[in-house]
Amino acid sequence: MAENNHTLPTDGWTTVIRPKTGWFDIDLHELWQYRDLIVMFVKRNFTVLYKQTILGPAWIILNPLITTIIFNVVFGGMANMPTDGVPGFLFYMAGNTVWTFFANCVNNTANTFVTNSQIFGKVYFPRLTMPVSQVLTSLINFFIQAAMYLIFW
């Protein structure tokens, strides 16, 4: 009788896909192996986000600046809301910067599986790469806006 060899090849090109055992069964090593895919998704997200706008990536700076000016006029000028000694412009810009990062992370990661569903059926890759790339794209925008905040400070 022939022997049944149930060992898997260990040549590095073989990927064994197993079901997850729990909610927090995250394979960070596999995610690290796909870091080039994450970088590619971040570049794609960044270019798609600002490709069809007239000003392009300048919206990263203009959007919080315009929103901060509007908040300063409405809440600081018309409503006379106190900022406890902090200059109103910096107060509203700080809140706007952090809130924009948080809102973008939540909205983009919530929609990532719906907007990229056509990719998931074609080839295997860790599904966590999509939300991670969305958060990293928002993090790039946050750092640019935080640098702008520090310039105004």
Side-chain angles (χ1 to χ4, degrees), residues 45-57:
N45 294 340
F46 197 77
T47 57
V48 166
L49 191 60
Y50 299 109
K51 185 177 184 179
Q52 304 252 339
T53 61
I54 294 173
L55 297 174

Side-chain angles (χ1 to χ4, degrees), residues 86-152:
V86 178
F89 188 79
L90 292 177
F91 180 79
Y92 297 122
M93 181 176 266
N96 187 31
T97 301
V98 174
W99 176 254
T100 301
F101 171 68
F102 175 75
N104 284 343
C105 285
V106 170
N107 289 332
N108 293 340
T109 56
N111 295 326
T112 189
F113 294 108
V114 174
T115 57
N116 297 303
S117 62
Q118 71 279 5
I119 299 173
F120 293 135
K122 295 182 181 180
V123 67
Y124 173 78
F125 59 93
R127 302 303 186 240
L128 197 57
T129 57
M130 289 288 187
V132 167
S133 68
Q134 292 289 345
V135 169
L136 289 176
T137 303
S138 297
L139 197 61
I140 292 170
N141 290 343
F142 173 75
F143 282 136
I144 293 170
Q145 292 173 3
M148 184 178 65
Y149 173 79
L150 291 175
I151 289 171
F152 280 111

Side-chain angles (χ1 to χ4, degrees), residues 2-130:
E3 285 185 27
N4 287 336
N5 190 359
H6 293 291
T7 60
L8 295 173
T10 58
D11 59 354
W13 290 98
T14 303
T15 301
V16 178
I17 302 171
R18 293 190 179 97
K20 302 296 180 192
T21 57
W23 282 94
F24 298 106
D25 187 15
I26 299 171
D27 188 6
L28 295 177
H29 178 69
E30 183 183 35
L31 197 62
W32 180 253
Q33 288 177 335
Y34 284 86
R35 65 188 176 274
D36 55 338
L37 182 64
I38 293 173
V39 170
M40 188 177 69
F41 282 146
V42 168
K43 288 179 185 177
R44 182 198 67 167
N45 294 340
F46 197 77
T47 57
V48 166
L49 191 60
Y50 299 109
K51 185 177 184 179
Q52 304 252 339
T53 61
I54 294 173
L55 297 174
W59 278 114
I60 299 172
I61 295 172
L62 289 177
N63 190 10
L65 189 62
I66 292 169
T67 307
T68 301
I69 290 170
I70 291 172
F71 280 11
N72 202 14
V73 168
V74 171
F75 295 121
M78 291 184 206
N80 289 327
M81 294 185 81
T83 59
D84 293 335
V86 178
F89 188 79
L90 292 177
F91 180 79
Y92 297 122
M93 181 176 266
N96 187 31
T97 301
V98 174
W99 176 254
T100 301
F101 171 68
F102 175 75
N104 284 343
C105 285
V106 170
N107 289 332
N108 293 340
T109 56
N111 295 326
T112 189
F113 294 108
V114 174
T115 57
N116 297 303
S117 62
Q118 71 279 5
I119 299 173
F120 293 135
K122 295 182 181 180
V123 67
Y124 173 78
F125 59 93
R127 302 303 186 240
L128 197 57
T129 57
M130 289 288 187

